[in-house]
Amino acid sequence: MKLFCSILLLSFTLQLAAQESSTIQEELEISPFVDGSLLTPTHDSKNVLAIIIGDYGPIDRNGNQNFQKNNNLKKLAYNLAENGISSFRYDKRIVKQIKKRPCQCQTNF
């Protein structure tokens, strides 16, 4: 029983050590209309910053739209951080306006 508990404790310890973050993400408010995320690697910083700009339309900082969730810009930012490159990505103005707008839906039955 002691051996089982020791192995279980060791596996949890190794799992937690493996999940240490190699990046630091800061949420920034640039203006009342624009929010963004600054992702910096904790190791091997090259002092390089990539600014990630989303495509046309109401795309958030992660590359998602209302009915399309693929996180492609977020994945790009994390891959850049793995290679020692910091990145900044931001929500477009329309995204913040949509999030702040109260639901004006009316249901008439």
Side-chain angles (χ1 to χ4, degrees):
M1 182 67 175
K2 287 182 182 181
L3 179 63
F4 176 74
C5 290
S6 298
I7 292 173
L8 187 62
L9 181 63
L10 180 64
S11 67
F12 282 131
T13 305
L14 292 175
Q15 184 178 13
L16 289 175
Q19 291 179 355
E20 286 186 27
S21 178
S22 62
T23 60
I24 300 170
Q25 181 167 323
E26 297 178 58
E27 303 299 323
L28 304 173
E29 183 176 352
I30 305 303
S31 74
F33 304 108
V34 179
D35 293 335
S37 297
L38 177 65
L39 189 68
T40 56
T42 57
H43 65 285
D44 191 37
S45 180
K46 297 179 183 178
N47 292 328
V48 177
L49 175 69
I51 300 174
I52 301 173
I53 302 171
D55 203 1
Y56 64 91
I59 296 175
D60 69 2
R61 70 185 82 175
N62 296 327
N64 300 326
Q65 292 182 359
N66 286 341
F67 298 105
Q68 177 186 9
K69 307 258 188 254
N70 59 15
N71 290 327
N72 60 354
L73 298 180
K74 184 177 182 179
K75 292 174 186 176
L76 173 64
Y78 276 95
N79 283 326
L80 287 171
E82 287 177 6
N83 291 304
I85 300 172
S86 301
S87 64
F88 177 74
R89 60 192 196 280
Y90 62 93
D91 292 332
K92 293 192 172 184
R93 287 179 58 155
I94 189 71
V95 172
K96 191 164 184 179
Q97 291 173 349
I98 289 171
K99 288 180 181 178
K100 280 188 166 183
R101 181 179 59 193
C103 182
Q104 298 175 356
C105 306
Q106 294 181 350
T107 55
N108 295 326
F109 293 103

